[in-house]
Amino acid sequence: MRLESVDALLAALQRGANAHDGEAVDLLDHMLQCGALLAAAEPDDFELQVAGLVHDLGTVLDPNGPATHATTGADAVESLLGARVAALVAGHDQAKRYLVSTDPAYSAQLSEMSVATLALQGGTMREAERTQFEAGEYSTSLVALRRADDAAKIPGLTVPGLDDWRPKLERVADTPT
Ligand SMILES: [Fe+2]
């Protein structure tokens, strides 16, 4: 499924409200929190922020595909939001594999559901895979997105709502990479 307009994207994201994938917050709140954390950390990088906002869209579109949710989401937004946003969405599960393989403290704070889906997503990375990940064009942004992803599971946290994202989404949609 391809989302061809900001309106269609916002409607799809809205479907994440009250949809759960085993985490403490619903999918919409999770993605809003992820985008807000990245907006605070990287205020000038709208593409990274928007990637955070849409990163689990694949789970909204296909709740039964944890192993493919990253690519499902990337395919849905690529024509609208451009190649970099799509690559960040596509790679966020691989960034988990990378961090699990390189940062013991990271593994210790993963949610139960993230640990459960890790094996489905390929498990830990071998050295050659880690080297390949680090050499990737978007590795720094992928790690930033992944760390925000894991932090964005706080019940009751107040963050900007979906409507507040429209200007940034339209800006990124107007200037796809
Ligand atoms: Fe996520």
Side-chain angles (χ1 to χ4, degrees):
M1 176 186 183
R2 277 176 182 231
L3 300 166
E4 302 290 357
S5 69
V6 169
D7 282 336
L9 174 59
L10 287 169
L13 288 167
Q14 184 62 49
R15 285 168 49 201
N18 302 313
H20 285 264
D21 66 346
E23 301 286 3
V25 296
D26 71 36
L27 273 167
L28 176 59
D29 283 340
H30 169 58
M31 291 191 283
L32 289 170
Q33 287 185 23
C34 187
L37 286 167
L38 290 165
E42 301 286 347
D44 298 326
D45 192 344
F46 288 4
E47 287 181 341
L48 176 60
Q49 297 168 31
V50 161
L53 177 71
V54 306
H55 78 278
D56 278 337
L57 189 61
T59 305
V60 178
L61 299 174
D62 177 13
N64 301 314
T68 52
H69 83 289
T71 49
T72 299
D75 289 347
V77 301
E78 181 160 18
S79 61
L80 182 65
L81 300 176
R84 179 168 174 242
V85 173
L88 295 178
V89 173
H92 82 275
D93 57 347
Q94 299 307 302
K96 177 169 77 174
R97 295 182 60 221
Y98 173 75
L99 284 167
V100 163
S101 311
T102 54
D103 182 351
Y106 174 84
S107 307
Q109 55 82 55
L110 271 183
S111 71
E112 244 174 72
M113 185 52 72
S114 280
V115 172
T117 52
L118 176 66
L120 281 173
Q121 292 157 350
T124 55
M125 281 185 172
R126 296 186 304 275
E127 190 178 343
E129 289 178 292
R130 294 200 297 270
T131 304
Q132 190 180 14
F133 180 90
E134 286 164 359
E137 184 179 358
Y138 302 124
S139 60
T140 303
S141 299
L142 279 169
V143 166
L145 170 55
R146 187 67 222 186
R147 290 195 185 277
D149 183 0
D150 292 307
K153 300 175 181 181
I154 300 172
L157 185 69
T158 301
V159 292
L162 210 42
D163 289 344
D164 297 307
W165 282 92
R166 181 183 284 276
K168 278 182 190 170
L169 287 169
E170 285 177 346
R171 175 118 167 239
V172 172
D174 283 345
T175 54
T177 46

